[in-house]
Amino acid sequence: MSKRILHVDDDPDIGTMVCAVLQREGFYVTSVRTLGDVFPALDQDEFDLILLDAMIEEQDSGLIAFELLQNRFPRVPVILMTSLGEMVRPYFKDRGFDVGILEKPVSPDRLLSAIHSCTMNATRK
């Protein structure tokens, strides 16, 4: 059965690229462009992974959304996609969250590697 991924990014070009890469690899992808669409999507479907833009809509909206997602859906791994790279890690470490971070721009190979690593680790838990 295909892994189900929720991709959250307000940049349509990134959304198109991510969906094309993941669908070509056999993943089922739902893509949303606003934070307002995230929780309705999660209420309608079960996902194996969430790819979340750190700066969706506003500068730190994705960071806040990450915490909400971890509290409401703790078993669904989240990979944060950001142009800020490792600079955001202390924000999560101080709050006790372990977060996967992919720095934008992300190559298809790095994207797939991070997803396979994350979904394999989630399967082992």
Side-chain angles (χ1 to χ4, degrees), residues 19-80:
C19 285
V21 168
L22 297 181
Q23 288 171 346
R24 185 178 63 232
E25 289 294 313
F27 292 103
Y28 174 84
V29 184
T30 298
S31 185
V32 298
R33 291 198 178 129
T34 69
L35 290 174
D37 294 330
V38 172
F39 288 101
L42 287 164
D43 289 338
Q44 289 180 336
D45 208 345
E46 289 186 31
F47 292 92
D48 299 295
L49 176 70
I50 300 168
L51 291 173
L52 176 64
D53 177 19
M55 294 181 11
I56 188 169
E57 297 173 6
E58 294 180 25
Q59 189 168 4
D60 61 352
S61 296
L63 305 180
I64 295 165
F66 176 88
E67 285 191 61
L68 295 172
L69 289 167
Q70 289 296 287
N71 289 327
R72 186 161 170 202
F73 301 96
R75 293 181 183 237
V76 181
V78 178
I79 296 176
L80 202 64

Side-chain angles (χ1 to χ4, degrees), residues 81-100:
M81 296 177 66
T82 178
S83 58
L84 301 174
E86 293 297 317
M87 290 178 13
V88 298
R89 192 168 299 282
Y91 175 89
F92 296 104
K93 189 174 183 181
D94 293 345
R95 289 164 175 75
F97 292 114
D98 183 28
V99 60

Side-chain angles (χ1 to χ4, degrees), residues 5 22 27 49 51 79 111-120:
I5 298 175
L22 297 181
F27 292 103
L49 176 70
L51 291 173
I79 296 176
L111 175 65
L112 292 171
S113 177
I115 289 170
H116 287 297
S117 177
C118 189
T119 57
M120 288 302 291

